[in-house]
Amino acid sequence: MLDAHSKTVVLVLQGIRWLRDGHDVRVISTGNNTRAISTSITQQLEMSLSAGPTPSLTPGCVSFHQYNFWDRKDGEENVEQAVTDLLVWVKNGHLHALIDEASFDSRDRHGPLLTRLVTRLAQQVPHLYLWCAGVLNRDLPTALQTHVFTVPLRSAPTVLREIQPVIHRFKVNDYSDSGMPAPGDGLSVIRLSHHGNAHTGRWPVDCSQCGQDIAAVLRRLGVGSSAANSPSRLSYRDVFVLTRSDDLQDDVTDEAGQVTSPASGVVQGLKDAGVPVSVLGVQDWLHNRARWERAVQDVAVAATDTVTVAWYGWVKGLERRVVAVLQGRDRGDDDAGKTDEKIDRLNRLSAVSRCTTQLITVRTPPVTTTTPPSLTTTTTPTATTTHTTT
């Protein structure tokens, strides 16, 4: 089990090693929320094959396998199908496979099913090389050997400090010191406020002005600028705008192309400011699965030079150089009794951790309550004695 910033890197490096030793590698996605990162890993492994010669006379090949262990109705059947499919690929008793964003937590419906997959494969494959990477260390299967990697490899110290205060409140190992000084502290966090007359809606995701404020920051950072023609310049594809809200959407149109439901405020604000945007929200997954699948494929490989605005559950494991995190809640949080403090912890662990360089936060100022003068109780001293404590 690996920390959030090193796990995918280590999986890719191990997959490349297997390929160059002549082994085939199976990349397994166990749910819609891991499709993007699994697609990204697959692409990186495929690129490694075309990058140059390998020590093996016959390098291995890569294949992607998509399942959905989160399905309430067919989750167990999907596990059995995964076992059946993967056993076909066993060669001379060997199977090499990678699973990113693995969680074996018994409290959710996904965890026990993933445990069953690992256990079944361990029982039936004599030489199983299955690497599972995740950030949670709860209920790990006994079939897995556990190695804890806690040295952050990619994010700047300024970003890590935004995540570190909440780590101890999860079943997550804290970061450790690499023993080597960081090359720099990183860029200061840019903090925007969803507040003022021009701002609308309860949360930043609903606010066009917040979208324009983010666009102004991106312009200051030089994102999308053609003036700086260097490998280090920022493109729109280097940017995530992430939210917890499941109401996020782009314009919904009918068959005639007429808008039947407008884009979320932050999306509209970005577009009004001239920022090219791709949206990866829950609504497309529910109502336009084909568009959702195209968007997932695109964001996984950063194929299009657009800013990705997404529900952060869809981009687990992916990283961007610039990430704007919008404060907010989804519709089920109130029913589940999740406090603002818990939502903040989830946002830091799941969204802030996607950032490697420049973090932007957009928050609603806390509501302060003042007592009306008529209800203020005043106390008149009854003695003139003064007590001084030193």
Side-chain angles (χ1 to χ4, degrees), residues 248-252 261-264 267 271 277-279 284 291:
L248 175 68
Q249 66 177 35
D250 203 344
D251 287 328
V252 177
S261 181
S264 301
V267 174
K271 294 197 295 186
V277 172
S278 297
V279 179
D284 273 344
R291 183 162 77 170

Side-chain angles (χ1 to χ4, degrees), residues 302-322:
T304 306
D305 191 21
T306 60
V307 168
T308 298
V309 186
W311 175 60
Y312 62 61
W314 295 142
V315 297
K316 285 187 173 184
L318 298 179
E319 294 175 336
R320 292 293 188 267
R321 293 166 70 184
V322 180

Side-chain angles (χ1 to χ4, degrees), residues 141-161:
T142 56
L144 288 178
Q145 298 180 21
T146 303
H147 300 275
V148 180
F149 291 73
T150 56
V151 176
L153 300 181
R154 297 170 66 84
S155 290
T158 50
V159 176
L160 297 178
R161 286 198 293 271

Side-chain angles (χ1 to χ4, degrees), residues 58-88:
T58 307
C61 64
V62 185
S63 61
F64 174 80
H65 303 264
Q66 175 68 47
Y67 303 100
N68 187 10
F69 293 180
W70 288 92
D71 191 296
R72 294 180 183 274
K73 180 180 178 182
D74 300 321
E76 294 187 7
E77 292 182 10
N78 287 334
V79 173
E80 297 305 313
Q81 186 62 56
V83 172
T84 301
D85 292 346
L86 293 169
L87 289 178
V88 172

Side-chain angles (χ1 to χ4, degrees), residues 3-163:
D3 85 277
H5 296 282
S6 65
K7 63 183 184 58
T8 303
V9 175
V10 173
L11 285 188
V12 171
L13 292 176
Q14 182 60 38
I16 292 173
R17 178 181 179 184
W18 287 337
L19 290 172
R20 293 186 174 182
D21 287 343
H23 302 293
D24 296 340
V25 178
R26 314 299 162 191
V27 182
I28 304 170
S29 171
T30 58
N32 291 322
N33 62 331
T34 64
R35 178 178 293 196
I37 185 57
S38 300
T39 300
S40 176
I41 291 172
T42 303
Q43 186 213 37
Q44 292 179 66
L45 295 181
E46 289 173 341
M47 290 176 62
S48 75
L49 290 174
S50 59
T54 66
S56 171
L57 295 177
T58 307
C61 64
V62 185
S63 61
F64 174 80
H65 303 264
Q66 175 68 47
Y67 303 100
N68 187 10
F69 293 180
W70 288 92
D71 191 296
R72 294 180 183 274
K73 180 180 178 182
D74 300 321
E76 294 187 7
E77 292 182 10
N78 287 334
V79 173
E80 297 305 313
Q81 186 62 56
V83 172
T84 301
D85 292 346
L86 293 169
L87 289 178
V88 172
W89 296 101
V90 175
K91 292 183 178 180
N92 300 320
H94 291 74
L95 178 67
H96 296 74
L98 302 172
I99 301 177
D100 201 358
E101 292 298 330
S103 172
F104 300 93
D105 194 335
S106 60
R107 298 173 300 175
D108 60 47
R109 60 184 179 274
H110 173 271
L113 296 178
L114 184 54
T115 298
R116 185 178 306 175
L117 173 68
V118 171
T119 303
R120 291 283 306 281
L121 290 176
Q123 292 171 342
Q124 299 188 52
V125 181
H127 304 286
L128 176 64
Y129 298 87
L130 172 62
W131 282 45
C132 301
V135 296
L136 300 177
N137 56 16
R138 184 189 297 271
D139 304 323
L140 302 180
T142 56
L144 288 178
Q145 298 180 21
T146 303
H147 300 275
V148 180
F149 291 73
T150 56
V151 176
L153 300 181
R154 297 170 66 84
S155 290
T158 50
V159 176
L160 297 178
R161 286 198 293 271
E162 295 292 311
I163 307 168

